[in-house]
Amino acid sequence: MADDPNAWWREGVLYQVYPRSYMDADGDGVGDLRGVIDRLDHLQWLGVRGIWLSPITVSPNADFGYDCADYCDVDPSLGTLADADELIAEAGRRGIRVLLDLVPNHTSIEHAWFREARASRDNPKRHWYVWADPAPDGGPPNNWTASFGGPAWTLDETTGQYYLHNFLPAQPDLNWWNEDVRAAFDDILQFWFDRGVAGFRVDVAHMMVKDAQLRDNPPAQDGDPFMYRMLGQRPVHNWCQPEVHEVHRRLRAVAESYDPPRLLVGETFLVEIEDVLKFYEGGDQFQLSFNIPFAHCSFDAAVLADAIERTERGLPPGATPVWTGSNHDISRFPSRWGGGDPDRARCALVMLLTLRGTVFLYEGDEIGMVDTPLEYAQMLDPVGLKFWPYAGRDPVRTPMQWANVPGGGFTRAGVEPWLPFGDLACNVGEQRHDPDSFLSLCRDLVALRDALADLRAGAFTPLGAPDGVLAYRRGERVVVAINLGATTATVEGAAGVVRCCTDRARDGERVDGAMPLPPSTAAVVLTDAP
Ligand code: NOJ
């Protein structure tokens, strides 16, 4: 792994930190960068090669960091630039690279660029954003709806035009047709790359460019995917415009101008796998794109096999898929896939950590943290507040559960965390010393990936298996079998030694070609050398 400058992200496991919820070093109830530094030893012990920090830049927090008011400074509630520098250096000392979150689709309404842009129609920053005259009836210029509900346009009374916002009105969309905007982001990338940042996760990467003529979207139809029905329209003119790929290529060129090249990972929150794969075409866009359609699959062997195989088949040669089960926007996989059943969650963990490509774990995945049920009065996420009883994203953003003590090991005893704790009975401290815990399984699987070249980089080959079983070979000698069915299955063709089983009592077991696998059990077998 050492010789290839890209191997750390192609083969290693990456880990998402949501800084407000990871570790609160200054005792104000909100996680911070010094807290992340304090927990780097945990990440090193777990064996991760890189971390992605959700936004740390200055934000009024209308959307908790995803509304940025200054791309080149740290939000005071999280720390300082010096803390960021120290975090990058301390992580590096432990062999961990740091990715930041870049939010180029929109800024905060409080960003200096937008303040200028809205000052007058002839302000030099005006066309850094997307403005349009009202429709003849005085309403919005077109029918686009925002991902967070309502029209995607807000009238600016002072200048008499509407500005575009595909998320909240407090998140005006930048105009990526404007060369000055493109150049400004080249500079932002360089600012952070020069500080030692290893790359960026790029927020809503597929939406950065909009139809230049601002044409209406067609209405959603019965049978359309949930996301389109929620928008009330098919987002054909504000998502995935052909020109977005050129913008990605430009950012990639900046990343490639560094030695070693920096990594860009697109947040392609799309419905179809085939649409995600377009962001790999040519090999000169971002190196990675999140496979959100896979994360949204039901936890069913046939459905997962189809999604994995379509991803593998559709990728250009040499491209690396991304596998993730949880993040700060979607239900955690132990809840969504596991349904609260720890054995099924263990199966999901085996799947994630044995597929070919880059794995992103989300903080808490390593202990099997589930979504935290919250009351309406406890919620802060604008999405949850708007769409209640859909609980929004706060249930997956509650503080990391380090210990079953007052403050949860996250903050000081007696301090109210910014979001309530989940069930502290599930915590790092206790699981760390239990060889049968979720955390031990996670760490052992990460170590097994490191130990076996087939698991790190070997080709993915689907294997025939009984109904309900997801089975595949990695490289020459690793076979993975996951029984998601209701009855014990016999998996044929793997003669060798069980290197890791969700039933830890079976680790080391010899199997001779017909492996019995009870329901909700997964095994990684190193088959005998030919
Ligand atoms: C995707 C981010 O992950 C999410 O948290 C945010 O609200 C939207 N993009 C808007 O930036």
Side-chain angles (χ1 to χ4, degrees):
M1 190 135 135
D3 297 341
D4 179 348
N6 294 324
W8 68 273
W9 57 262
R10 255 201 321 246
E11 301 175 13
V13 173
L14 277 64
Y15 181 104
Q16 181 191 355
V17 170
Y18 191 74
R20 294 178 66 83
S21 291
Y22 204 54
M23 178 70 203
D24 171 22
D26 64 6
D28 64 355
V30 176
D32 44 50
L33 297 186
R34 301 218 66 82
V36 180
I37 296 171
D38 291 346
R39 294 299 187 180
L40 285 171
D41 288 345
H42 166 74
L43 295 168
Q44 183 182 25
W45 173 85
L46 192 57
V48 304
R49 296 274 176 261
I51 55 176
W52 146 37
L53 299 165
S54 279
I56 63 168
T57 41
V58 179
S59 172
N61 287 326
D63 189 22
F64 296 101
Y66 289 95
D67 49 321
C68 179
D70 182 350
Y71 289 92
C72 295
D73 204 353
V74 171
D75 192 78
S77 68
L78 302 176
T80 62
L81 264 182
D83 294 334
D85 290 340
E86 192 177 329
L87 170 55
I88 294 162
E90 284 299 322
R93 239 168 252 140
R94 292 166 177 80
I96 297 172
R97 316 294 211 282
V98 176
L99 304 180
L100 297 185
D101 208 318
L102 184 75
V103 187
N105 180 70
H106 46 266
T107 68
S108 161
I109 202 163
E110 292 182 27
H111 196 293
W113 299 340
F114 191 71
R115 287 178 195 271
E116 284 191 49
R118 76 188 314 181
S120 67
R121 287 197 187 201
D122 57 7
N123 188 282
K125 289 280 187 312
R126 181 74 171 179
H127 298 294
W128 284 43
Y129 293 85
V130 184
W131 295 94
D133 288 333
D137 67 355
N142 70 17
N143 74 345
W144 295 356
T145 49
S147 301
F148 289 171
W153 298 93
T154 290
L155 181 66
D156 176 56
E157 304 280 352
T158 318
T159 57
Q161 282 190 310
Y162 281 84
Y163 66 88
L164 179 68
H165 52 84
N166 271 288
F167 293 89
L168 299 172
Q171 294 169 298
D173 277 30
L174 283 160
N175 174 14
W176 275 87
W177 292 99
N178 186 329
E179 173 60 28
D180 292 343
V181 169
R182 298 182 183 197
F185 275 86
D186 292 348
D187 293 346
I188 291 164
L189 288 186
Q190 283 162 0
F191 174 84
W192 288 106
F193 290 157
D194 290 342
R195 301 188 98 90
V197 159
F200 283 96
R201 173 265 194 192
V202 182
D203 192 63
V204 284
H206 58 294
M207 287 175 68
M208 292 165 67
V209 179
K210 321 297 174 316
D211 177 39
Q213 298 170 52
L214 303 176
R215 283 171 287 188
D216 277 354
N217 281 328
Q221 305 290 334
D222 289 349
D224 270 0
F226 172 75
M227 247 194 283
Y228 301 171
R229 282 182 286 120
M230 209 186 72
L231 291 167
Q233 54 191 228
R234 295 178 173 171
V236 297
H237 293 304
N238 52 345
W239 294 19
C240 297
Q241 298 306 290
E243 297 79 5
V244 78
H245 302 286
E246 285 316 310
V247 168
H248 287 199
R249 291 188 171 101
R250 176 183 179 132
L251 297 175
R252 172 75 181 273
V254 178
E256 288 289 332
S257 69
Y258 283 77
D259 182 21
R262 305 305 201 243
L263 171 65
L264 296 173
V265 189
E267 188 225 9
T268 34
F269 205 103
L270 291 160
V271 176
E272 303 295 343
I273 286 175
E274 288 65 26
D275 289 336
V276 173
L277 297 176
K278 291 184 188 138
F279 287 87
Y280 284 94
E281 282 171 10
D284 53 357
Q285 305 185 60
F286 299 168
Q287 293 95 325
L288 299 175
S289 286
F290 274 103
N291 194 345
I292 301 289
F294 163 79
H296 280 141
C297 282
S298 56
F299 203 50
D300 170 278
V303 172
L304 293 164
D306 174 64
I308 297 164
E309 286 168 39
R310 277 196 288 136
T311 303
E312 283 282 1
R313 269 200 314 271
L315 281 170
T320 305
V322 180
W323 308 107
T324 191
S326 315
N327 66 33
H328 65 293
D329 291 330
I330 62 175
S331 169
R332 290 175 173 277
F333 78 76
S335 291
R336 199 183 60 260
W337 283 339
D341 173 350
D343 289 335
R344 282 177 82 77
R346 286 162 87 96
C347 287
L349 186 69
V350 169
M351 173 183 71
L352 286 171
L353 287 169
T354 57
L355 287 171
R356 181 189 76 87
T358 303
V359 183
F360 274 87
L361 296 175
Y362 177 48
E363 61 180 45
D365 278 356
E366 72 270 44
I367 53 171
M369 247 175 95
V370 293
D371 300 346
T372 302
L374 297 176
E375 306 288 332
Y376 182 80
Q378 296 172 305
M379 288 179 9
L380 299 172
D381 175 22
V383 177
L385 291 170
K386 178 153 183 123
F387 292 106
W388 180 261
Y390 162 63
R393 301 164 300 174
D394 291 322
V396 305
R397 298 177 177 179
T398 57
M400 183 67 185
Q401 296 161 193
W402 296 103
N404 195 0
V405 297
F410 163 75
T411 189
R412 295 175 197 159
V415 171
E416 198 67 35
W418 76 288
L419 281 175
F421 288 115
D423 181 2
L424 290 174
C426 169
N427 67 74
V428 173
E430 283 166 40
Q431 291 197 21
R432 196 172 156 138
H433 302 293
D434 173 3
D436 195 35
S437 68
F438 205 88
L439 180 58
S440 296
L441 178 68
C442 185
R443 182 172 186 249
D444 292 349
L445 284 164
V446 173
L448 193 60
R449 249 179 106 93
D450 277 348
L452 300 178
D454 273 353
L455 258 190
R456 279 203 313 277
F460 168 90
T461 314
L463 291 180
D467 277 357
V469 176
L470 174 66
Y472 44 91
R473 185 183 298 281
R474 292 291 318 286
E476 297 292 312
R477 289 185 54 200
V478 174
V479 167
V480 180
I482 304 170
N483 185 0
L484 301 179
T487 55
T488 295
T490 302
V491 178
E492 308 283 346
V497 174
V498 174
R499 290 296 301 268
C500 188
C501 184
T502 50
D503 171 3
R504 304 310 302 270
R506 292 182 68 180
D507 284 12
E509 180 182 304
R510 165 100 214 144
V511 285
D512 280 314
M515 176 171 61
L517 210 56
S520 303
T521 307
V524 184
V525 178
L526 180 63
T527 61
D528 300 332

